[in-house]
Amino acid sequence: MNKYVTHLECSLTQKQYPKDTVLELSEAGRPLLVKYDLEAIEKAHKKEEFSQSLEPGFWRYLPLLPITNQASIISLGESITPLIDISQLYPETEVFIKDEGRLPTGSFKARGLAMAVAMAKEFGLNHLAIPTNGNAGAALAAYASRAGMKSSVYCPKDTPQINILETKLQGADTHLIDGLINDCGKIVLEGKTKYGWFDVSTLKEPYRLEGKKTMGLELAEQFNWELPDAIFYPTGGGTGLIGMWKAFHEMHAMGWISKPFPRMYAIQSTGCAPIVKAFNHGNKFAELWEKPSSLPWGIRVPVAVGDFLILEAVYESNGKAMAVEDHEVIQKRNELAKQGIMLCPEGAATALALDHAIANGDVAKHEKVILFNCATGLKYPMPSLSE
Ligand SMILES: *Cc1c(COP(=O)(O)O)cnc(C)c1O
């Protein structure tokens, strides 16, 4: 493991765990966070060195990532994802889309799974399993196959067809389940004890979070270490939101960025909004959302093991959790596509939420805002020629 990693820590109880051991959740059943000797990193590295790096992707932030060194990288050609300036569509707001659809396997799940698979390889694991709404399974399949590992993927049977097929084609043992992502999670859990799989479910191992953290590092670098005012993030398990928040704290501790951090807006679907409900009640934890439905599949997550971490970031940043309607999301997707900006439904959900936030005054004039397009729009059903 990276020499700067000191230990891991339970995100709920702060109990410490040793590095260099295979870990999943803490004893409290909550996510483990990788802790670094930030003082040592600050002494040895300047933030400017990252912009000069010849490494085209997020691997340039190696001192702040868990892998031991360059040799552990399993690459499919990761790149720093572009910011698309769409401010001309907004009279008074500066709006940028962080286009994560440019990553290998067409979604930001590549960040987390590239890291988790690299760490699994360092630990000598050979069979990884995952419950997924689509993109995580595809990313696992690709990186695991590339690393010479087996992968088993469980997804709800109404997962977008392309996700199912790309996952199978890239070598995963792929199963369709008559249920939701948490039902798939239960099957993976059983396989863990039965077949010795390693479970790479969202936040149930510590390293996918470190991969997603790179979105925060990238944003800081791309905005010349002065972060934007607000970030709109489509929130399922919340790995990306939690990861960015972790990155902001780490960079702040090293003096690379200053406060205030961006306001974090967690966007969900009105048909599956456990985080929004908890936020509206001022709660620390979220309850299981019964009978969830959400057309943006990536955010159809009725229960999240990192719920309190998502909420903490939203509360601390003075952000909000907001829910949007499926049919309006698709309208927004279609409307933006006509402007040459084709987002995935989850990305369109953030654009719609921004419209609401501007209308109700949450986003002030001349603020700088990031929308997350988490996957390429090409993976999703489109209107037919006659529509
Ligand atoms: C996984 C996924 C999300 C949710 O990301 P989390 O960080 O797990 O909350 C959103 N959109 C798409 C397209 C996804 O694949």
Side-chain angles (χ1 to χ4, degrees), residues 107-109 133-136 202 208 212 215 233-241 297-299 301 310 344 346-347 373-375 380:
S107 87
F108 67 3
K109 292 294 193 300
N133 279 324
N135 289 319
T202 301
R208 277 177 67 185
K212 281 284 196 79
M215 299 189 300
Y233 187 83
T235 305
T239 338
L241 193 146
W297 296 264
I299 53 177
V301 180
I310 303 170
C344 63
E346 295 81 357
N373 186 47
C374 309
Y380 300 87

mmCIF file of all heavy atoms in Angstrom, residues 107-109 133-136 202 208 212 215 233-241 297-299 301 310 344 346-347 373-375 380, ligand 1:
data_model
loop_
_atom_site.group_PDB
_atom_site.id
_atom_site.type_symbol
_atom_site.label_atom_id
_atom_site.label_comp_id
_atom_site.label_asym_id
_atom_site.label_seq_id
_atom_site.Cartn_x
_atom_site.Cartn_y
_atom_site.Cartn_z
ATOM 1 N N SER A 107 -18.485 5.376 -17.817
ATOM 2 C CA SER A 107 -19.086 5.984 -16.619
ATOM 3 C C SER A 107 -18.028 6.185 -15.541
ATOM 4 O O SER A 107 -16.946 5.599 -15.590
ATOM 5 C CB SER A 107 -20.213 5.118 -16.053
ATOM 6 O OG SER A 107 -19.695 4.154 -15.150
ATOM 7 N N PHE A 108 -18.387 7.002 -14.555
ATOM 8 C CA PHE A 108 -17.440 7.277 -13.466
ATOM 9 C C PHE A 108 -17.253 6.103 -12.517
ATOM 10 O O PHE A 108 -16.431 6.162 -11.615
ATOM 11 C CB PHE A 108 -17.807 8.555 -12.716
ATOM 12 C CG PHE A 108 -19.087 8.547 -11.929
ATOM 13 C CD1 PHE A 108 -19.901 7.437 -11.814
ATOM 14 C CD2 PHE A 108 -19.471 9.719 -11.261
ATOM 15 C CE1 PHE A 108 -21.073 7.460 -11.068
ATOM 16 C CE2 PHE A 108 -20.644 9.753 -10.515
ATOM 17 C CZ PHE A 108 -21.434 8.621 -10.414
ATOM 18 N N LYS A 109 -18.004 5.033 -12.737
ATOM 19 C CA LYS A 109 -17.763 3.836 -11.941
ATOM 20 C C LYS A 109 -16.348 3.308 -12.197
ATOM 21 O O LYS A 109 -15.790 2.589 -11.380
ATOM 22 C CB LYS A 109 -18.788 2.759 -12.259
ATOM 23 C CG LYS A 109 -20.221 3.086 -11.815
ATOM 24 C CD LYS A 109 -20.349 3.161 -10.319
ATOM 25 C CE LYS A 109 -21.777 3.165 -9.813
ATOM 26 N NZ LYS A 109 -22.614 4.269 -10.281
ATOM 27 N N ASN A 133 -26.641 -1.495 -10.479
ATOM 28 C CA ASN A 133 -27.741 -1.036 -11.336
ATOM 29 C C ASN A 133 -27.267 -0.900 -12.776
ATOM 30 O O ASN A 133 -27.984 -0.382 -13.621
ATOM 31 C CB ASN A 133 -28.279 0.298 -10.830
ATOM 32 C CG ASN A 133 -29.246 0.113 -9.666
ATOM 33 O OD1 ASN A 133 -30.004 -0.846 -9.625
ATOM 34 N ND2 ASN A 133 -29.212 1.030 -8.708
ATOM 35 N N GLY A 134 -26.035 -1.332 -13.053
ATOM 36 C CA GLY A 134 -25.572 -1.346 -14.432
ATOM 37 C C GLY A 134 -24.116 -0.961 -14.627
ATOM 38 O O GLY A 134 -23.293 -1.790 -14.996
ATOM 39 N N ASN A 135 -23.782 0.289 -14.359
ATOM 40 C CA ASN A 135 -22.442 0.771 -14.703
ATOM 41 C C ASN A 135 -21.328 0.205 -13.833
ATOM 42 O O ASN A 135 -20.209 -0.006 -14.312
ATOM 43 C CB ASN A 135 -22.414 2.296 -14.642
ATOM 44 C CG ASN A 135 -23.196 2.912 -15.785
ATOM 45 O OD1 ASN A 135 -23.118 2.440 -16.920
ATOM 46 N ND2 ASN A 135 -23.962 3.966 -15.499
ATOM 47 N N ALA A 136 -21.622 -0.047 -12.563
ATOM 48 C CA ALA A 136 -20.579 -0.587 -11.685
ATOM 49 C C ALA A 136 -20.200 -1.995 -12.127
ATOM 50 O O ALA A 136 -19.017 -2.363 -12.125
ATOM 51 C CB ALA A 136 -21.044 -0.584 -10.234
ATOM 52 N N THR A 202 -20.677 -0.924 -3.230
ATOM 53 C CA THR A 202 -20.461 0.473 -2.854
ATOM 54 C C THR A 202 -20.166 0.647 -1.362
ATOM 55 O O THR A 202 -20.992 0.266 -0.523
ATOM 56 C CB THR A 202 -21.740 1.286 -3.179
ATOM 57 O OG1 THR A 202 -21.993 1.162 -4.571
ATOM 58 C CG2 THR A 202 -21.572 2.744 -2.842
ATOM 59 N N ARG A 208 -12.945 1.839 -3.429
ATOM 60 C CA ARG A 208 -13.732 2.513 -4.481
ATOM 61 C C ARG A 208 -13.891 3.988 -4.121
ATOM 62 O O ARG A 208 -13.841 4.858 -4.992
ATOM 63 C CB ARG A 208 -15.114 1.857 -4.631
ATOM 64 C CG ARG A 208 -15.099 0.616 -5.508
ATOM 65 C CD ARG A 208 -16.455 -0.050 -5.569
ATOM 66 N NE ARG A 208 -17.470 0.751 -6.245
ATOM 67 C CZ ARG A 208 -18.757 0.406 -6.326
ATOM 68 N NH1 ARG A 208 -19.165 -0.717 -5.768
ATOM 69 N NH2 ARG A 208 -19.614 1.169 -6.957
ATOM 70 N N LYS A 212 -13.200 7.399 -6.357
ATOM 71 C CA LYS A 212 -14.181 8.464 -6.598
ATOM 72 C C LYS A 212 -13.693 9.807 -6.048
ATOM 73 O O LYS A 212 -14.087 10.868 -6.534
ATOM 74 C CB LYS A 212 -15.525 8.082 -5.965
ATOM 75 C CG LYS A 212 -16.352 7.091 -6.775
ATOM 76 C CD LYS A 212 -17.014 7.769 -7.972
ATOM 77 C CE LYS A 212 -18.136 6.954 -8.578
ATOM 78 N NZ LYS A 212 -19.405 6.996 -7.882
ATOM 79 N N MET A 215 -12.445 12.751 -8.250
ATOM 80 C CA MET A 215 -13.284 13.782 -8.883
ATOM 81 C C MET A 215 -13.074 15.118 -8.172
ATOM 82 O O MET A 215 -13.052 16.175 -8.805
ATOM 83 C CB MET A 215 -14.763 13.387 -8.821
ATOM 84 C CG MET A 215 -15.039 12.092 -9.559
ATOM 85 S SD MET A 215 -16.787 11.702 -9.747
ATOM 86 C CE MET A 215 -17.308 11.592 -8.075
ATOM 87 N N TYR A 233 -24.957 16.572 -7.557
ATOM 88 C CA TYR A 233 -24.513 15.193 -7.721
ATOM 89 C C TYR A 233 -25.686 14.215 -7.612
ATOM 90 O O TYR A 233 -26.381 14.194 -6.599
ATOM 91 C CB TYR A 233 -23.474 14.879 -6.631
ATOM 92 C CG TYR A 233 -22.823 13.538 -6.809
ATOM 93 C CD1 TYR A 233 -21.744 13.397 -7.679
ATOM 94 C CD2 TYR A 233 -23.291 12.412 -6.157
ATOM 95 C CE1 TYR A 233 -21.159 12.164 -7.875
ATOM 96 C CE2 TYR A 233 -22.711 11.176 -6.352
ATOM 97 C CZ TYR A 233 -21.643 11.065 -7.209
ATOM 98 O OH TYR A 233 -21.062 9.848 -7.411
ATOM 99 N N PRO A 234 -25.902 13.390 -8.659
ATOM 100 C CA PRO A 234 -26.985 12.408 -8.582
ATOM 101 C C PRO A 234 -26.584 11.314 -7.605
ATOM 102 O O PRO A 234 -25.583 10.635 -7.809
ATOM 103 C CB PRO A 234 -27.091 11.870 -10.010
ATOM 104 C CG PRO A 234 -25.766 12.125 -10.625
ATOM 105 C CD PRO A 234 -25.126 13.276 -9.913
ATOM 106 N N THR A 235 -27.358 11.145 -6.560
ATOM 107 C CA THR A 235 -26.897 10.360 -5.412
ATOM 108 C C THR A 235 -27.619 9.024 -5.278
ATOM 109 O O THR A 235 -28.827 8.983 -5.052
ATOM 110 C CB THR A 235 -27.101 11.177 -4.121
ATOM 111 O OG1 THR A 235 -26.438 12.432 -4.293
ATOM 112 C CG2 THR A 235 -26.526 10.461 -2.920
ATOM 113 N N GLY A 236 -26.855 7.964 -5.442
ATOM 114 C CA GLY A 236 -27.354 6.624 -5.166
ATOM 115 C C GLY A 236 -26.736 6.193 -3.851
ATOM 116 O O GLY A 236 -27.191 6.563 -2.770
ATOM 117 N N GLY A 237 -25.623 5.430 -3.949
ATOM 118 C CA GLY A 237 -24.869 5.078 -2.748
ATOM 119 C C GLY A 237 -24.076 6.257 -2.211
ATOM 120 O O GLY A 237 -23.616 6.243 -1.075
ATOM 121 N N GLY A 238 -23.891 7.267 -3.046
ATOM 122 C CA GLY A 238 -23.243 8.503 -2.593
ATOM 123 C C GLY A 238 -21.722 8.486 -2.589
ATOM 124 O O GLY A 238 -21.085 9.419 -2.093
ATOM 125 N N THR A 239 -21.119 7.444 -3.168
ATOM 126 C CA THR A 239 -19.655 7.328 -3.122
ATOM 127 C C THR A 239 -18.954 8.577 -3.637
ATOM 128 O O THR A 239 -17.970 9.015 -3.064
ATOM 129 C CB THR A 239 -19.132 6.177 -4.024
ATOM 130 O OG1 THR A 239 -20.175 5.262 -4.224
ATOM 131 C CG2 THR A 239 -17.935 5.515 -3.425
ATOM 132 N N GLY A 240 -19.457 9.118 -4.735
ATOM 133 C CA GLY A 240 -18.791 10.263 -5.349
ATOM 134 C C GLY A 240 -18.892 11.500 -4.478
ATOM 135 O O GLY A 240 -17.918 12.237 -4.300
ATOM 136 N N LEU A 241 -20.058 11.723 -3.914
ATOM 137 C CA LEU A 241 -20.257 12.899 -3.069
ATOM 138 C C LEU A 241 -19.381 12.796 -1.809
ATOM 139 O O LEU A 241 -18.676 13.738 -1.433
ATOM 140 C CB LEU A 241 -21.743 13.003 -2.708
ATOM 141 C CG LEU A 241 -22.209 14.307 -2.090
ATOM 142 C CD1 LEU A 241 -23.627 14.631 -2.539
ATOM 143 C CD2 LEU A 241 -22.164 14.246 -0.580
ATOM 144 N N TRP A 297 -31.631 4.829 -13.362
ATOM 145 C CA TRP A 297 -31.307 3.603 -12.642
ATOM 146 C C TRP A 297 -30.186 3.804 -11.628
ATOM 147 O O TRP A 297 -30.207 3.215 -10.563
ATOM 148 C CB TRP A 297 -30.868 2.504 -13.634
ATOM 149 C CG TRP A 297 -31.933 2.080 -14.572
ATOM 150 C CD1 TRP A 297 -32.761 0.999 -14.428
ATOM 151 C CD2 TRP A 297 -32.304 2.700 -15.815
ATOM 152 N NE1 TRP A 297 -33.618 0.927 -15.509
ATOM 153 C CE2 TRP A 297 -33.363 1.935 -16.362
ATOM 154 C CE3 TRP A 297 -31.853 3.809 -16.502
ATOM 155 C CZ2 TRP A 297 -33.957 2.254 -17.578
ATOM 156 C CZ3 TRP A 297 -32.449 4.139 -17.710
ATOM 157 C CH2 TRP A 297 -33.487 3.368 -18.239
ATOM 158 N N GLY A 298 -29.196 4.618 -12.010
ATOM 159 C CA GLY A 298 -28.003 4.779 -11.170
ATOM 160 C C GLY A 298 -28.310 5.325 -9.789
ATOM 161 O O GLY A 298 -27.505 5.184 -8.871
ATOM 162 N N ILE A 299 -29.472 5.963 -9.634
ATOM 163 C CA ILE A 299 -29.805 6.512 -8.316
ATOM 164 C C ILE A 299 -30.990 5.780 -7.671
ATOM 165 O O ILE A 299 -31.597 6.272 -6.736
ATOM 166 C CB ILE A 299 -30.023 8.048 -8.360
ATOM 167 C CG1 ILE A 299 -31.048 8.448 -9.425
ATOM 168 C CG2 ILE A 299 -28.710 8.741 -8.640
ATOM 169 C CD1 ILE A 299 -31.336 9.950 -9.453
ATOM 170 N N VAL A 301 -31.395 3.563 -5.356
ATOM 171 C CA VAL A 301 -30.718 2.899 -4.246
ATOM 172 C C VAL A 301 -31.521 3.178 -2.979
ATOM 173 O O VAL A 301 -31.451 4.276 -2.426
ATOM 174 C CB VAL A 301 -29.259 3.417 -4.109
ATOM 175 C CG1 VAL A 301 -28.557 2.735 -2.950
ATOM 176 C CG2 VAL A 301 -28.489 3.194 -5.412
ATOM 177 N N ILE A 310 -23.170 11.022 3.474
ATOM 178 C CA ILE A 310 -23.776 11.890 2.455
ATOM 179 C C ILE A 310 -24.424 13.084 3.161
ATOM 180 O O ILE A 310 -24.196 14.252 2.815
ATOM 181 C CB ILE A 310 -24.874 11.139 1.657
ATOM 182 C CG1 ILE A 310 -24.320 9.879 0.994
ATOM 183 C CG2 ILE A 310 -25.533 12.067 0.630
ATOM 184 C CD1 ILE A 310 -25.386 8.950 0.400
ATOM 185 N N CYS A 344 -26.685 11.518 -19.555
ATOM 186 C CA CYS A 344 -27.409 10.340 -19.081
ATOM 187 C C CYS A 344 -28.579 10.850 -18.233
ATOM 188 O O CYS A 344 -28.577 12.017 -17.816
ATOM 189 C CB CYS A 344 -26.475 9.431 -18.280
ATOM 190 S SG CYS A 344 -25.811 10.157 -16.767
ATOM 191 N N GLU A 346 -29.309 10.442 -15.183
ATOM 192 C CA GLU A 346 -28.848 10.921 -13.875
ATOM 193 C C GLU A 346 -28.227 12.315 -14.001
ATOM 194 O O GLU A 346 -28.414 13.176 -13.141
ATOM 195 C CB GLU A 346 -27.810 9.956 -13.279
ATOM 196 C CG GLU A 346 -28.360 8.570 -12.940
ATOM 197 C CD GLU A 346 -28.460 7.649 -14.163
ATOM 198 O OE1 GLU A 346 -28.157 8.087 -15.304
ATOM 199 O OE2 GLU A 346 -28.858 6.484 -13.981
ATOM 200 N N GLY A 347 -27.487 12.517 -15.095
ATOM 201 C CA GLY A 347 -26.902 13.839 -15.343
ATOM 202 C C GLY A 347 -27.992 14.864 -15.599
ATOM 203 O O GLY A 347 -27.932 16.004 -15.102
ATOM 204 N N ASN A 373 -22.338 14.694 -15.032
ATOM 205 C CA ASN A 373 -22.863 13.722 -15.977
ATOM 206 C C ASN A 373 -22.063 12.444 -15.776
ATOM 207 O O ASN A 373 -20.925 12.325 -16.217
ATOM 208 C CB ASN A 373 -22.734 14.214 -17.415
ATOM 209 C CG ASN A 373 -23.421 13.260 -18.362
ATOM 210 O OD1 ASN A 373 -24.548 12.860 -18.092
ATOM 211 N ND2 ASN A 373 -22.762 12.867 -19.423
ATOM 212 N N CYS A 374 -22.680 11.494 -15.093
ATOM 213 C CA CYS A 374 -21.932 10.353 -14.560
ATOM 214 C C CYS A 374 -21.622 9.290 -15.584
ATOM 215 O O CYS A 374 -20.771 8.440 -15.366
ATOM 216 C CB CYS A 374 -22.720 9.728 -13.432
ATOM 217 S SG CYS A 374 -23.205 10.968 -12.253
ATOM 218 N N ALA A 375 -22.364 9.282 -16.684
ATOM 219 C CA ALA A 375 -22.161 8.248 -17.693
ATOM 220 C C ALA A 375 -22.482 8.826 -19.065
ATOM 221 O O ALA A 375 -23.169 9.848 -19.172
ATOM 222 C CB ALA A 375 -23.074 7.053 -17.415
ATOM 223 N N TYR A 380 -28.216 4.938 -22.877
ATOM 224 C CA TYR A 380 -29.605 4.936 -22.403
ATOM 225 C C TYR A 380 -30.615 4.999 -23.543
ATOM 226 O O TYR A 380 -30.317 5.524 -24.618
ATOM 227 C CB TYR A 380 -29.792 6.088 -21.413
ATOM 228 C CG TYR A 380 -28.864 5.898 -20.246
ATOM 229 C CD1 TYR A 380 -27.564 6.391 -20.293
ATOM 230 C CD2 TYR A 380 -29.243 5.116 -19.170
ATOM 231 C CE1 TYR A 380 -26.663 6.143 -19.263
ATOM 232 C CE2 TYR A 380 -28.358 4.854 -18.134
ATOM 233 C CZ TYR A 380 -27.067 5.370 -18.187
ATOM 234 O OH TYR A 380 -26.198 5.090 -17.178
HETATM 235 C C1 LIG B 1 -23.667 4.814 -9.869
HETATM 236 C C2 LIG B 1 -24.268 5.908 -10.590
HETATM 237 C C3 LIG B 1 -24.765 7.028 -9.895
HETATM 238 C C4 LIG B 1 -24.716 7.147 -8.396
HETATM 239 O O1 LIG B 1 -23.400 7.278 -7.924
HETATM 240 P P1 LIG B 1 -23.056 7.103 -6.395
HETATM 241 O O2 LIG B 1 -21.727 7.749 -6.220
HETATM 242 O O3 LIG B 1 -23.026 5.639 -6.100
HETATM 243 O O4 LIG B 1 -24.131 7.787 -5.608
HETATM 244 C C5 LIG B 1 -25.312 8.044 -10.651
HETATM 245 N N1 LIG B 1 -25.382 7.975 -11.991
HETATM 246 C C6 LIG B 1 -24.906 6.933 -12.679
HETATM 247 C C7 LIG B 1 -25.016 6.942 -14.175
HETATM 248 C C8 LIG B 1 -24.324 5.865 -12.009
HETATM 249 O O5 LIG B 1 -23.844 4.825 -12.707
#
